[in-house]
Structures are given as C-alpha cells and as structure tokens.
Amino acid sequence: MAYFDNNATTRPCEVALAAHSEALSEDWRNPSAPSSAAARVRVKLDLAREKLAACLGVSPGTVSFTSGATESNNAVFSHISRHASPHSRVLLSPVEHPSVREAASRYFSGRVDELPADGSGIVDPSTLAPALDATQVALVSVMAANNETGVIQSWDEIAGICRAHGVPFHSDATQWLGKLPSSKFDACDYLSASAHKFGGLKGVGILKASTEVSFIVGGEQESGRRAGTENYPGVAAMLAALEEADSFGETPTLEQARNAFEESLRASIPGIEVLGKNVPRLWNVSALLMPRFDNLRWVGKLEKIGHEVSTGSACATGKDGPSHVSAAMGLSPEQARRVVRVSGSRETTPAEWSGLADAFRLAYAELQADSSSSEVVSI
Ligand code: PMP
C-alpha cells in the first residue's frame, strides 16, 4: 500500500525506533527515583531537552514534554485564561486545528475572535495591529502550517507584531516541524508540536512556553509544570526524529515531485482544483477539490487500488458537517465533501507520486463507470 497520509501520522523513522528501543532497554527507570541509575535517566532527559531546544532555537528552560500537540494547545489556553483579565479576548486564525479552536472556546467562552483571512486561509499580518489596538487581547494563536492544505502562515511576522504590542503569541507548529527549518521558534511565546508528525512516536509532544506554566498538577516533574512520570524513551525517539529531519535541510526535489503530480492530474482530470496552489505551502501536501464524487468514495476507491489517502480532515467526511478550513477558504459544504488530501513524506519517491496520479485517473474512471451503471439500474 502506498502511504499518502503523512499529515495524519508518519511511519516512525528508523533512528527514532532505535533510540526508543535503546532507551526502553537501558533507560527505563523513573527519572524521579533516587537511585544513581535513575539519575542517569534524568540527566539524559535534560540533555534531550537541551538538544530539542537547540533544534527549535529556544531556551531549554522553556521546553516541557507533553503527550502531544492536543495537550500542549489545551495547556496554553488553560494557562493564559488563569492569568488573563476576565474581559480579555483571544484572536485565532480561522483555520486552526480543533485542539486550538475548542480549547479557546472552553477557556475563553464568548471571548474568541477570528482574524480575517484571505481565500487561502492566510491571515494578513497588517490586519493584526488594528485588532490589537481595538481590544484587550490575552493571546494571539496562528498556526505555522495548516494540516488540511499545507498553507503556511506568516507566523514569524505575526509574532513580531504581537511582541511589539506586548501580547503573547502562540503557534501550533505541529505540521511545520520536520518539514521546514525549525530553528526560529524563539519568536513565539508558546509553541506546540507532536512527535508522530515527523517520524517520532504517538503520545509525545512539545510545549514551549516563555512564561512559568503549570498545567498538570500532582508531582514535581518537568520543574512542576507538568506532573506525571516522564516518557524518556518517547522523548529520545522524538529527538532522534527531529534531528534527522532537520539534517535533510531544504529539498526542492520533493516539492517538484508533488508539483508534477498536481500538474499531471490537472492535465487529465478536468475541473480539478488544488487548494492553496498559488500561495506558500508545505512541500508534501495536496488538498484536491475533485470535480465529482464525495471524498469518502475517492478514499475507498484509491485504497482498493493500493493508495492510502485522506479526506480534507475527519470533519469533512460528511458525518460532522464540512471542515471549518474549507469553509474559511470559501468552499460550499458540498464542495468541502469533495476535498481529498494527499500527504507524502521525505521517503515518497517521484515514481510513487506519479503512481498516485495514475491511481487517481483509474479511480475516476471507475467512479464514473460505477455511477453511470447505477444510473442505468435506477432508471
Ligand atoms: N495541530 C495540528 C495542526 C495537527 O495537525 C494535529 C494532528 N492532526 C494536532 C494539532 C493534534 O496532534 P495530536 O493528535 O498528536 O495531539
């Protein structure tokens, strides 16, 4: 099966599996235990924190290990709400992940505003300063890159504007890390990420917080910020994966293979559209608005012919209504149900991208044949 759903999760990379296995067999002790063997695990955990902080360009004292981006995002809003004025508001891009949107609504009920965005879902940084001047803002949260479309936000420019206004800035960098250079995140006061999106394992993530946060109580782990026995093997795997991903640097050939796939589809499937085609996007994603057929039918048909792809998001499957990202990009609910997302990885070869284009053409032919035969039957 050719795997094209890397924005949902990546296959753990070899270096991560090796680091995990070594830590599980050698460094399995509780880092808080008093033995000298446990102290060695504690030292390794802190060394991993320093190295991860170096990858992100941030100070090690600001990095906490969490169970993933969902926890990190929730922690940010819960922490800010405890310290913010009860009248202050939070500003979000309209295309944030549900773990940002719903955390914002829970902790700032009735005090959440969406920043205006263009037809690609991109927040125009010039709209921010007037919004910050007009109201008391406790936090601005704009993701680095979108999970459904790969569209990149000007998060660094937005961070600078927030800093100039003395307003904390959070970025959910879950889809950015491991795909683009990660060393400039000192510009963000808060940052969230998940290891399994860049070759690490599920259940491990990062929260960078430039202020003292305490979000899970009941122990002194993580300097009292997040209670609970630390998952050193998971952290070791995350570090190995991020260091490896960063070592690849920029790889224009990956983007060329994805672009060739899109061109090939546009030439052979009339009416297909690529969301975010003309704006900066991650090199691994194509969000395709198909001319016909619900995305679940595409996903099922492509899987039968050996290709694992996804809908725009789990919310766009028709079950829970259309995705808020598609809506923010001006798609109707009916169009949103025709969005298919494919997401490759560094390991995806040009031949696999071209095989995927062939699979789409075959799937389209079969879907058209299925629908015309069902039309005949229904007559
Ligand atoms: N933010 C973004 C942008 C994501 O893509 C995801 C995963 N789909 C998350 C947050 C949540 O990550 P996790 O499920 O690993 O907590």
Side-chain angles (χ1 to χ4, degrees):
M1 185 72 72
Y3 185 66
F4 280 93
D5 198 10
N6 286 275
N7 279 19
T9 196
T10 54
R11 189 175 65 78
C13 62
E14 292 303 324
V15 289
L17 289 175
H20 192 246
S21 159
E22 186 186 322
L24 273 182
S25 56
E26 304 288 328
D27 302 312
W28 46 266
R29 287 183 172 76
N30 187 328
S32 305
S35 70
S36 49
R40 278 197 294 278
V41 184
R42 195 157 58 243
V43 168
K44 286 189 178 183
L45 185 70
D46 285 334
L47 189 59
R49 193 186 316 277
E50 278 170 28
K51 289 183 173 174
L52 271 160
C55 290
L56 300 175
V58 307
S59 148
T62 63
V63 174
S64 303
F65 298 125
T66 65
S67 66
T70 300
E71 178 187 327
S72 303
N73 288 338
N74 274 266
V76 170
F77 286 91
S78 119
H79 164 74
I80 295 281
S81 72
R82 272 181 276 120
H83 296 88
S85 128
H87 304 295
S88 58
R89 308 182 71 80
V90 289
L91 308 184
L92 314 181
S93 91
V95 293
E96 293 302 308
H97 188 267
S99 57
V100 165
R101 288 165 71 83
E102 291 180 27
S105 301
R106 166 170 291 193
Y107 294 107
F108 286 83
S109 178
R111 295 185 285 141
V112 182
D113 297 317
E114 280 188 358
L115 290 159
D118 68 12
S120 303
I122 298 180
V123 171
D124 177 354
S126 70
T127 61
L128 189 59
L132 295 179
D133 290 336
T135 168
Q136 193 182 356
V137 178
L139 183 77
V140 173
S141 182
V142 177
M143 69 200 323
N146 186 262
N147 44 305
E148 295 187 31
T149 60
V151 166
I152 290 171
Q153 299 281 355
S154 305
W155 58 269
D156 42 356
E157 196 181 340
I158 292 172
I161 296 168
C162 289
R163 192 153 287 186
H165 281 75
V167 172
F169 174 68
H170 166 245
S171 189
D172 176 353
T174 305
Q175 295 291 347
W176 176 291
L177 288 200
K179 298 184 186 110
L180 292 175
S182 57
S183 63
K184 300 254 169 68
F185 281 108
D186 201 31
C188 306
D189 300 295
Y190 300 92
L191 181 88
S192 312
S194 258
H196 71 103
K197 304 288 185 178
F198 53 83
L201 305 179
K202 281 132 200 92
V204 193
I206 300 173
L207 170 63
K208 181 239 167 171
S210 57
T211 53
E212 270 307 310
V213 287
S214 165
F215 50 100
I216 294 188
V217 293
E220 285 310 307
Q221 292 91 348
E222 298 292 276
S223 307
R225 291 175 294 205
R226 187 209 188 244
T229 304
E230 301 92 333
N231 175 4
Y232 174 66
V235 169
M238 172 163 69
L239 172 63
L242 189 58
E243 285 186 333
E244 181 177 77
D246 278 354
S247 74
F248 288 116
E250 305 230 348
T251 41
T253 48
L254 296 169
E255 185 158 2
Q256 281 160 16
R258 189 277 314 269
N259 291 351
F261 157 78
E262 290 177 352
E263 279 317 307
S264 161
L265 281 194
R266 277 150 58 92
S268 51
I269 300 185
I272 193 170
E273 276 178 49
V274 178
L275 303 183
K277 169 128 190 68
N278 298 317
V279 297
R281 269 187 302 154
L282 294 176
W283 49 263
N284 74 316
V285 196
S286 296
L288 304 165
L289 174 55
M290 305 310 292
R292 290 183 69 189
F293 307 119
D294 269 20
N295 46 22
L296 281 180
R297 292 185 67 193
W298 280 100
V299 169
K301 193 60 95 177
L302 285 161
E303 185 167 348
K304 278 201 187 101
I305 48 183
H307 291 75
E308 207 171 329
V309 304
S310 179
T311 54
S313 87
C315 303
T317 59
K319 213 170 40 186
D320 303 323
S323 125
H324 64 282
V325 177
S326 305
M329 294 177 84
L331 269 57
S332 69
E334 185 279 324
Q335 286 175 313
R337 281 193 294 277
R338 283 191 272 123
V339 175
V340 176
R341 179 186 73 185
V342 303
S343 48
S345 75
R346 283 179 201 282
E347 288 161 14
T348 313
T349 63
E352 284 172 318
W353 279 110
S354 133
L356 180 65
D358 291 340
F360 263 92
R361 283 185 279 269
L362 178 59
Y364 195 31
E366 289 190 4
L367 286 169
Q368 283 174 311
D370 293 351
S371 94
S372 53
S373 63
S374 68
E375 275 158 25
V376 171
V377 170
S378 64
I379 287 166

